[in-house]
Amino acid sequence: MKKKIISSMLMVCILLGILPNTMYAATNNTAKPSAGWHYLRIMWNYLDVDKDGNIELRNKTNTKEGNTKFRIHDCGNGDYEFELEDGRYLGLEITQEEMAKNPDKLNELRVKAVKKDAKKYMTVWNVYSENNYDLFNLRPRMNKDYVVNASGEKKEDGTAIIVWKHADPWICAANPTPDAPHHAEIRFIPILPAVFSVRYNNTPYRDKPDGKILGEFGSGQKVWVTRIDGNWATIKYKDKEYSMWAPKLTGVDPTVTAPIVLKSMPSKDSYKVGETFDIKGLNVVNITDGKETTVNSDLKYYMQEVVYSKDGSYKLKDPVEIKPGYKFNNKLEASIEIKYQGVSLQFYSIEIIK
């Protein structure tokens, strides 16, 4: 009987081994980390950096220095980087090439704050969702057998953060899943206040958590989030406070334009020679603190004229700053770039005809 049971278990293991990864993944979670600045937390303690650049657990919440902030960069294809305020990145002292040749070198390797240098360090991570919202696990790029975790399953200050080989015990060791144990589950805590974007159409906002629905937002609507308690976010919108279901929000990349929303473009893009540059219809607002403040007067416009060659190819002239009221004296095609505080918001094309 024991031999039959063992044989059956081996057969299941073999079958699982030939199935694609999606067939045995522990969950079907599809959440991705939000852009922006976050605190990272394992075992109810925070990821911080010691004087030697080692990542460790240490709660600095009530200190002047505060906990280490990480800015999430989505590199595409499931790859992410985590930048520190001093310009270093969450990484490992091993290259991508070395990892591919000798993956065993990863086991129990210390996670560090390193410079972004692909010839020396690995700074790109694959991220897997644990709860389809704010809980994830991190694994070195294309090495899902290894997971970032608190060494020794500890939570005390000074606990080393390492990369550790982990295969889900419920499946064949040859096919580890992206699920992770508790000491490898990292909670991403957004640093507030910040601008967030609504993920879905018809997302309601309420007078209080679980309260009366007062209205709905469409996908892409930007809101100013001041607090997140569990699954509820407190937002400021048009000078008033409301509650929203936090998992329906996603962070916005924290550039200088993060609180800036381009709501509508200029209505005029075709001119006759002798007419002047017109921005009527353009509406750009700052939504900091929930108020919509027009910033059109702070925008700058740069024109790049298109020059065609005889073979049909073209090039753009150097950009020239123009202002509303600028007179077009010649027939031409051009690209107009709209900038706010030196950061590009949008390009659009114009044409001047006789």
Side-chain angles (χ1 to χ4, degrees), residues 4 15 18 34 52 65 70 129 131 139 145-146 159 168 179 187 190 235 271 305 307 316 335:
K4 288 183 180 180
L15 289 172
I18 63 175
S34 289
D52 298 315
E65 180 184 2
F70 296 88
S129 173
N131 66 348
R139 297 172 186 263
D145 293 26
Y146 299 86
T159 298
D168 193 304
D179 190 31
R187 192 172 297 277
I235 69 166
Y271 298 85
E305 185 179 345
V307 179
L316 295 173
S335 172

Side-chain angles (χ1 to χ4, degrees), residues 217-352:
F217 290 127
S219 174
Q221 172 71 48
K222 302 297 189 300
V223 293
W224 186 255
V225 178
T226 59
R227 189 169 66 253
I228 295 179
D229 297 312
N231 283 324
W232 288 100
T234 299
I235 69 166
K236 282 192 174 181
Y237 178 66
K238 293 186 176 180
D239 233 4
K240 294 184 178 180
E241 280 199 345
Y242 303 100
S243 293
M244 288 187 63
W245 190 243
K248 294 185 180 291
L249 298 171
T250 184
V252 175
D253 193 40
T255 65
V256 67
T257 59
I260 303 302
V261 179
L262 197 158
K263 302 195 76 172
S264 62
M265 291 289 290
S267 54
K268 190 172 179 64
D269 59 12
S270 180
Y271 298 85
K272 291 182 180 180
V273 172
E275 291 184 331
T276 58
F277 181 48
D278 187 353
I279 62 167
K280 184 178 180 180
L282 178 65
N283 187 19
V284 180
V285 298
N286 185 317
I287 65 168
T288 302
D289 207 26
K291 302 174 183 177
E292 288 194 1
T293 306
T294 299
V295 295
N296 284 9
S297 60
D298 299 320
L299 302 176
K300 292 188 176 182
Y301 310 89
Y302 296 86
M303 181 176 74
Q304 284 189 284
E305 185 179 345
V306 179
V307 179
Y308 289 96
S309 301
K310 290 182 179 179
D311 62 2
S313 63
Y314 70 90
K315 64 179 181 179
L316 295 173
K317 287 186 177 182
D318 291 338
V320 176
E321 184 179 356
I322 63 174
K323 296 181 179 180
Y326 173 85
K327 187 176 181 179
F328 298 111
N329 293 315
N330 302 300
K331 178 182 176 181
L332 57 85
E333 293 178 26
S335 172
I336 301 293
E337 181 181 16
I338 305 171
K339 284 189 174 183
Y340 175 78
Q341 294 186 359
V343 176
S344 181
L345 293 180
Q346 185 71 46
F347 287 86
Y348 72 104
S349 297
I350 63 169
E351 181 181 23
I352 291 87

Side-chain angles (χ1 to χ4, degrees), residues 145-161:
D145 293 26
Y146 299 86
V147 64
V148 172
N149 73 104
S151 178
E153 304 183 32
K154 297 179 181 178
K155 62 181 179 181
E156 290 77 22
D157 282 359
T159 298
I161 300 300

